């Protein structure tokens, strides 16, 4: 198995673990052990971090373990269609009233997501420059940016 396959399988495992318990960190060495690669957890984990696929991580050098949590960039590597579809839903919803800030947790497809998943998705959209965010009373409100509007128009012309 080559390094690329190992990285992709590890990301997929982290993605499914994140679906079980959003925002939690998971010990990738336990997964890599099933592939016979437990001793490689530090190298694999650091490679995923260097590529920008982890939200957070912690190395336990004495136990040769590596705990990590996947971010949206990592999820996009293993579930690109899901991320793309959810991005379209969010941006189109925001585009219905582009000057208004919308409660992120009330956007279709996001209402059942855990807070950690909402925050991670918002961070991804902010990084792309497609939304502006504002928080009030422990809620996250988002609004479409000009760059987000241009992205939507470009997507419409491609489709």
């Amino acid at each position: 198995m080559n390094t690329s396959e190992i990285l992709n399988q590890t990301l997929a495992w982290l993605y499914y673990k994140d679906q079980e318990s959003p925002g939690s960190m998971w010990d990738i060495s336990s997964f890599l052990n099933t592939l016979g690669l437990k001793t490689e957890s530090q190298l694999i984990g650091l490679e995923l971090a260097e590529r920008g696929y982890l939200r957070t991580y912690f190395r336990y050098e004495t136990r040769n373990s590596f705990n990590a949590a996947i971010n949206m960039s990592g999820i996009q590597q293993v579930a690109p269609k899901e991320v793309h579809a959810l991005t379209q839903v969010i941006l189109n919803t925001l585009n219905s009233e582009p000057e208004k800030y919308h409660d992120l947790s009330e956007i279709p497809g996001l209402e059942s997501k855990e807070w950690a998943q909402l925050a991670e998705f918002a961070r991804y959209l902010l990084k792309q420059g497609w939304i502006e965010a504002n928080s009030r009373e422990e809620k996250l409100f988002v609004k479409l940016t000009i760059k987000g509007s241009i992205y939507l128009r470009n997507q419409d012309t491609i489709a």
Side-chain angles (χ1 to χ4, degrees), residues 27-68:
D27 182 3
I28 67 168
S29 58
S30 65
F31 167 71
L32 292 171
N33 190 39
T34 65
L35 303 176
L37 299 168
K38 183 177 181 176
T39 59
E40 303 297 318
S41 66
Q42 303 283 327
L43 294 172
I44 298 299
L46 290 173
E47 180 67 26
L48 292 172
E50 187 175 295
R51 291 183 183 203
Y53 299 151
L54 302 179
R55 180 174 39 81
T56 188
Y57 65 90
F58 188 82
R59 299 180 342 172
Y60 294 97
E61 292 182 38
T62 56
R63 291 190 278 169
N64 195 32
S65 65
F66 193 97
N67 287 10

Side-chain angles (χ1 to χ4, degrees), residues 5-150:
E5 290 172 336
I6 295 166
L7 292 173
N8 286 337
Q9 286 186 18
T10 306
L11 279 176
W13 181 81
L14 281 170
Y15 170 70
Y16 290 111
K17 288 297 187 179
D18 189 65
Q19 296 302 301
E20 290 174 14
S21 181
S24 296
M25 290 181 59
W26 299 93
D27 182 3
I28 67 168
S29 58
S30 65
F31 167 71
L32 292 171
N33 190 39
T34 65
L35 303 176
L37 299 168
K38 183 177 181 176
T39 59
E40 303 297 318
S41 66
Q42 303 283 327
L43 294 172
I44 298 299
L46 290 173
E47 180 67 26
L48 292 172
E50 187 175 295
R51 291 183 183 203
Y53 299 151
L54 302 179
R55 180 174 39 81
T56 188
Y57 65 90
F58 188 82
R59 299 180 342 172
Y60 294 97
E61 292 182 38
T62 56
R63 291 190 278 169
N64 195 32
S65 65
F66 193 97
N67 287 10
I70 195 168
N71 66 15
M72 236 353 114
S73 295
I75 291 171
Q76 191 173 25
Q77 297 303 307
V78 293
K81 290 179 183 174
E82 180 181 331
V83 172
H84 178 75
L86 201 48
T87 297
Q88 296 304 310
V89 168
I90 293 167
L91 295 181
N92 280 311
T93 300
L94 297 179
N95 197 35
S96 67
E97 295 179 87
E99 297 304 316
K100 175 186 172 196
Y101 279 92
H102 300 257
D103 183 344
L104 190 62
S105 65
E106 293 179 0
I107 293 177
L110 294 182
E111 62 274 83
S112 63
K113 300 285 186 193
E114 297 285 333
W115 172 251
Q117 291 172 318
L118 290 175
E120 186 58 41
F121 211 89
R123 208 177 342 227
Y124 167 74
L125 296 172
L126 281 165
K127 187 177 177 184
Q128 302 303 319
W130 297 333
I131 65 166
E132 291 177 23
N134 187 356
S135 61
R136 286 181 259 144
E137 300 171 12
E138 297 183 20
K139 288 190 175 194
L140 185 60
F141 293 88
V142 295
K143 172 177 136 173
L144 190 66
T145 63
I146 293 171
K147 188 174 180 181
S149 181
I150 292 169

